[in-house]
Amino acid sequence: MSLPMYQEKNKVPFNQIKYVVGVAAGKGGVGKSTLSVNLARAFQQSGFQVGIMDADIYGPSLRRLLPESQMPMKRGELIVPADCSGIKMISMAFFRKDDEAAVVRAPIANGVIKQFIQQVDWGELDLLIIDFPPGTGDIQLTLAQEARLTGAIMVTTPQELAVMDVRKAVNMFQQVNIPIVGVVENMSYFQDGEEKKYLFGKGGGDRLAREIEVPFLGEIPIHPEICQRGDQGRSIFEAEEVGIQDYFKKISENIWAELNRSKGILDYEFIQVDSHTFQLTRADGEKMRYRLSDLQRFCPCAGCVDEVTGQRKKDLGSVDDQVKAKRVEQVGRYGLRIDFTSGCSNGIYSYDSLFVTG
Amino acid sequence: MSLPMYQEKNKVPFNQIKYVVGVAAGKGGVGKSTLSVNLARAFQQSGFQVGIMDADIYGPSLRRLLPESQMPMKRGELIVPADCSGIKMISMAFFRKDDEAAVVRAPIANGVIKQFIQQVDWGELDLLIIDFPPGTGDIQLTLAQEARLTGAIMVTTPQELAVMDVRKAVNMFQQVNIPIVGVVENMSYFQDGEEKKYLFGKGGGDRLAREIEVPFLGEIPIHPEICQRGDQGRSIFEAEEVGIQDYFKKISENIWAELNRSKGILDYEFIQVDSHTFQLTRADGEKMRYRLSDLQRFCPCAGCVDEVTGQRKKDLGSVDDQVKAKRVEQVGRYGLRIDFTSGCSNGIYSYDSLFVTG
């Protein structure tokens, strides 16, 4: 008998994807969508299988930047993503009218995002790019917790005002243990003949990368063709004379190198030992065994621990040694949520706490 | 005896403000905050009393653009806004640390916005500018419904990708009957000597204004000083040589003219006739009298009407002719919410429906 793990249930949508990468900024209008699409093109040109999830429920723009050659389809319980010149894509834009205001209350938006994570059959992919919505609210947190990201790429423009918001998004990813792959600076300068004109400040991306100690993945200059072609749904990768695509190519190579370098450092494996025990193996080989009753005793859920005082509400001796789990669920790369047969189901055990206190 | 009206309760925070104007885009990064601050400066220079509400809970940036000379203070139940070189300001940035990720679930964010609307004592103002957050979700809807906006100014950049999102925000304001004052285009072009370089496409703002039949209020070119001074919290209004402030000045004049022109067309007045009857007077002089029992019979709340079928759940004859109201509340410029003594309290009667069917 094995514990019904989240990743088992989820095998179809996400398990054939090598890397899942978020493109995020905290802020809107810094060029996340443009970067996502052009990185996808760059990876595709290098021979990779690529998918993009447009996670902006309120302002989905990827469909315009990368029009579909085939619409998404329903196959049983799953959604087959659209085919956009060989890149797989899913976006809210496929499911409602163009100008309609998505005045969607947060729980509904969250539901859509969960569907995008659990019910899209991406098939085999080298890379899934998730284009994050602006902000650090509900949807962003749900994505960070549930989409099992390999890492996040932070996008900023050079000015301090943008960097400020990006810092907040970095902070959010750090809270849920998602590694930052690196920083990309967009709209870095305008190349005017020989001269570089810094229209939106200078050096914010590089400064941010140093500050949070991650690689600076590269900069993208302002170029009228990026906007113009984007608006028309044409790719700058088909305009050899422009040369602007080389910036995206270089950044895609840096990202791929980083992903391979850090591969697996945050991966954990489970083995079911018996119905009351499981074993957790960290990528560095370190192993820990847990008896479910021991974990139940230190359950961090609101029913077991007073949220204000931190005091334990239940007597440790009252836990049944034979307690089992109905389900063990991975929460992002952050930890485990255990649904005990005793009724506790909301406590999250972070991997950090499991390997320190276990 | 008079009905306890929303505007009575709310007298202190909002009733001494001549115009309340939202600056919105649906999208982030188009320059809403920069526009809000520089419009405030322009209005101030024309001798007006101005306030700004930074409604971006997740990425508040106004404090950086316009540093305070005096922090906000608590006075009884009310908050006195910060003083920023003579401009009154309230922002989430005053209430938490700089880099902290505001991973705030939607109901909490909504609560903050309601406090900003109901508990800030602005005093006498000619104009309150509300800098909207990106998106068309919970907070935006709460603001549009509760902040009693005179109108909304839409900001876009020239590219179609931005205009797409702004259209969605326009749609949202139209749904709740808030007039669009006009469209401002930001980052229109870069003036390179004699030549205008269109770095982010061309003409999106003007096209949008024509399409939704509102005035085009003006354009703002890309200028390194706007960003640089913004990052440093210095005003372009103190840099006479740059000339860029004239663009904001011109737009502020266009906005003021529009506000005065459309003054009052959406205002409604109540008079209490007796404890079962009130009278509604539209700005054009049209009067309607309502008996509360008649309104109760056509209550649109979910308890009275089946949300799916639209069928009325209660027998019309069962309504007591003597029913009274505990409270009548204005919902934005959209309609009335009536809290009947019979228990119904959630139905919103739009002004449109009151004047057509009444």
Side-chain angles (χ1 to χ4, degrees):
Chain A
M1 192 195 98
S2 78
L3 292 172
M5 292 289 192
Y6 183 69
Q7 58 273 51
E8 290 295 322
K9 175 173 168 271
N10 231 15
K11 203 164 204 164
V12 182
F14 265 72
N15 269 23
Q16 292 169 286
I17 303 174
K18 196 167 179 190
Y19 299 125
V20 181
V21 165
V23 171
K27 188 172 170 56
V30 297
K32 286 185 298 294
S33 299
T34 300
L35 181 67
S36 296
V37 163
N38 286 307
L39 281 181
R41 292 278 196 184
F43 280 112
Q44 184 187 35
Q45 222 178 47
S46 305
F48 294 116
Q49 284 291 330
V50 192
I52 309 187
M53 180 196 294
D54 182 354
D56 194 340
I57 302 299
Y58 299 108
S61 52
L62 287 186
R63 189 182 181 187
R64 177 135 207 150
L65 288 167
L66 187 59
E68 70 280 2
S69 28
Q70 196 175 330
M71 280 289 282
M73 284 177 300
K74 194 111 198 195
R75 186 191 290 152
E77 282 301 289
L78 297 175
I79 301 162
V80 179
D83 183 324
C84 305
S85 311
I87 293 168
K88 293 178 182 180
M89 176 156 48
I90 202 77
S91 165
M92 191 67 187
F94 292 121
F95 304 105
R96 61 181 172 75
K97 274 182 285 172
D98 217 24
D99 299 350
E100 209 177 330
V103 184
V104 172
R105 292 284 176 186
I108 296 172
N110 255 328
V112 172
I113 286 298
K114 282 191 179 159
Q115 278 200 322
F116 279 7
I117 295 171
Q118 293 165 3
Q119 292 178 14
V120 178
D121 184 5
W122 295 98
E124 267 189 49
L125 288 184
D126 295 293
L127 187 75
L128 173 63
I129 296 171
I130 301 185
D131 183 16
F132 266 60
T136 52
D138 272 43
I139 294 173
Q140 293 79 358
L141 194 59
T142 301
L143 273 169
Q145 286 181 333
E146 310 275 350
R148 309 196 58 209
L149 297 169
T150 317
I153 294 157
M154 308 310 299
V155 195
T156 186
T157 55
Q159 73 254 52
E160 183 51 31
L161 206 68
V163 173
M164 253 174 68
D165 281 349
V166 180
R167 266 194 208 104
K168 292 187 190 105
V170 166
N171 192 292
M172 180 191 75
F173 286 114
Q174 286 170 341
Q175 280 181 30
V176 289
N177 254 17
I178 292 178
I180 308 294
V181 179
V183 174
V184 174
E185 188 185 86
N186 193 21
M187 309 187 202
S188 297
Y189 54 85
F190 171 60
Q191 187 77 47
D192 194 14
E194 292 292 295
E195 197 191 348
K196 287 180 177 173
K197 291 193 166 156
Y198 295 91
L199 304 182
F200 299 115
K202 195 174 168 184
D206 187 50
R207 270 201 310 280
L208 177 66
R210 283 168 201 272
E211 183 189 313
I212 61 174
E213 297 176 336
V214 300
F216 181 61
L217 299 166
E219 58 188 17
I220 303 159
I222 301 164
H223 195 294
E225 282 281 327
I226 298 179
C227 244
Q228 202 181 317
R229 288 188 169 249
D231 274 357
Q232 296 163 346
R234 288 155 63 219
S235 173
I236 51 168
F237 279 81
E238 288 148 18
E240 286 306 330
E241 75 282 3
V242 181
I244 189 82
Q245 62 275 48
D246 297 344
Y247 292 88
F248 295 101
K249 201 75 194 281
K250 185 75 199 131
I251 292 169
S252 77
E253 287 160 10
N254 290 342
I255 291 171
W256 196 252
E258 276 306 309
L259 290 173
N260 284 326
R261 202 178 59 76
S262 62
K263 187 173 169 2
I265 55 164
L266 278 172
D267 282 344
Y268 293 84
E269 267 184 22
F270 302 84
I271 302 169
Q272 181 74 22
V273 181
D274 61 42
S275 60
H276 307 293
T277 317
F278 68 88
Q279 178 175 300
L280 202 54
T281 309
R282 206 161 56 182
D284 63 5
E286 179 110 0
K287 287 181 174 53
M288 297 298 295
R289 279 199 180 188
Y290 299 94
R291 207 170 155 81
L292 286 163
S293 55
D294 288 339
L295 290 181
Q296 164 85 84
R297 285 191 180 90
F298 296 98
C299 176
C301 85
C304 291
V305 177
D306 188 292
E307 281 186 273
V308 179
T309 64
Q311 291 281 309
R312 194 150 286 280
K313 294 179 182 173
K314 289 179 187 164
D315 176 17
L316 296 182
S318 71
V319 172
D320 178 3
D321 278 340
Q322 302 303 314
V323 71
K324 293 184 189 178
K326 283 187 274 187
R327 193 170 176 216
V328 179
E329 188 182 70
Q330 279 199 306
V331 182
R333 312 201 136 235
Y334 171 69
L336 301 175
R337 188 187 291 122
I338 304 179
D339 187 359
F340 291 104
T341 49
S342 61
C344 285
S345 63
N346 289 316
I348 296 176
Y349 296 81
S350 73
Y351 292 126
D352 285 353
S353 74
L354 285 171
F355 275 87
V356 173
T357 67
Chain B
M1 193 192 100
S2 77
L3 292 171
M5 293 287 189
Y6 183 70
Q7 57 272 54
E8 291 295 320
K9 175 173 167 271
N10 231 16
K11 203 166 204 163
V12 182
F14 264 71
N15 269 24
Q16 292 170 286
I17 303 174
K18 194 165 179 192
Y19 298 124
V20 182
V21 164
V23 171
K27 188 172 171 57
V30 297
K32 284 184 298 297
S33 299
T34 300
L35 180 66
S36 297
V37 164
N38 286 307
L39 280 182
R41 292 276 196 185
F43 280 112
Q44 185 187 33
Q45 223 178 45
S46 305
F48 293 117
Q49 283 292 330
V50 192
I52 309 186
M53 181 195 295
D54 183 354
D56 195 341
I57 302 299
Y58 300 108
S61 52
L62 287 187
R63 191 183 179 185
R64 177 137 209 146
L65 288 167
L66 186 60
E68 70 280 2
S69 26
Q70 196 174 331
M71 283 287 284
M73 286 177 300
K74 195 110 194 190
R75 187 190 292 151
E77 283 301 291
L78 298 175
I79 302 163
V80 179
D83 182 325
C84 304
S85 312
I87 295 168
K88 293 178 180 180
M89 175 154 51
I90 202 76
S91 165
M92 192 67 187
F94 293 120
F95 304 104
R96 61 180 173 73
K97 273 183 287 173
D98 216 25
D99 297 351
E100 211 177 326
V103 184
V104 172
R105 292 285 177 188
I108 296 172
N110 254 328
V112 172
I113 286 298
K114 282 190 180 158
Q115 279 200 320
F116 279 7
I117 296 172
Q118 293 165 3
Q119 292 178 13
V120 177
D121 183 4
W122 295 100
E124 266 188 52
L125 289 183
D126 294 292
L127 187 76
L128 173 64
I129 296 171
I130 302 184
D131 183 17
F132 266 60
T136 50
D138 273 43
I139 294 173
Q140 294 78 0
L141 194 58
T142 301
L143 273 171
Q145 287 181 333
E146 310 275 350
R148 311 197 56 209
L149 297 169
T150 317
I153 295 158
M154 310 308 301
V155 195
T156 186
T157 56
Q159 74 253 50
E160 183 50 32
L161 206 69
V163 174
M164 252 173 70
D165 282 350
V166 180
R167 266 194 208 103
K168 291 187 190 104
V170 167
N171 192 291
M172 181 190 74
F173 285 114
Q174 287 169 341
Q175 280 180 31
V176 288
N177 255 15
I178 292 178
I180 309 293
V181 179
V183 175
V184 174
E185 189 185 86
N186 193 20
M187 308 187 203
S188 297
Y189 54 84
F190 170 60
Q191 187 77 45
D192 194 13
E194 291 293 295
E195 199 191 348
K196 285 181 177 173
K197 291 192 167 157
Y198 295 90
L199 303 181
F200 298 116
K202 195 175 168 182
D206 187 50
R207 269 201 310 281
L208 177 66
R210 284 168 200 271
E211 185 189 312
I212 60 174
E213 298 177 333
V214 300
F216 181 61
L217 299 166
E219 58 188 16
I220 303 160
I222 301 164
H223 196 294
E225 283 281 327
I226 297 180
C227 247
Q228 204 181 314
R229 289 190 167 248
D231 274 359
Q232 297 164 347
R234 287 155 64 218
S235 173
I236 50 169
F237 279 81
E238 289 149 18
E240 286 306 329
E241 75 282 5
V242 181
I244 189 82
Q245 62 276 50
D246 296 344
Y247 292 88
F248 295 101
K249 201 75 195 282
K250 183 79 199 125
I251 292 169
S252 76
E253 287 161 9
N254 290 341
I255 291 171
W256 197 252
E258 275 307 310
L259 289 173
N260 284 327
R261 202 178 57 76
S262 62
K263 187 171 169 7
I265 54 164
L266 278 171
D267 283 344
Y268 293 85
E269 264 184 26
F270 303 85
I271 302 168
Q272 182 74 20
V273 181
D274 61 43
S275 60
H276 307 294
T277 316
F278 68 88
Q279 178 176 298
L280 202 55
T281 309
R282 207 160 56 183
D284 62 5
E286 179 111 359
K287 287 181 174 50
M288 296 298 294
R289 278 199 179 189
Y290 300 95
R291 209 171 152 80
L292 286 162
S293 55
D294 288 339
L295 290 180
Q296 162 86 83
R297 286 193 180 90
F298 296 98
C299 176
C301 85
C304 290
V305 177
D306 189 292
E307 282 187 275
V308 179
T309 65
Q311 291 280 308
R312 195 150 284 280
K313 292 179 181 173
K314 290 178 187 165
D315 177 17
L316 296 183
S318 71
V319 172
D320 178 3
D321 277 340
Q322 302 304 313
V323 71
K324 294 184 189 176
K326 284 187 271 188
R327 192 171 176 215
V328 178
E329 187 180 71
Q330 279 198 305
V331 183
R333 311 203 136 232
Y334 171 67
L336 301 176
R337 189 187 290 123
I338 304 179
D339 187 359
F340 291 103
T341 49
S342 61
C344 286
S345 62
N346 289 315
I348 296 176
Y349 296 80
S350 72
Y351 292 125
D352 286 353
S353 74
L354 285 174
F355 275 87
V356 172
T357 67

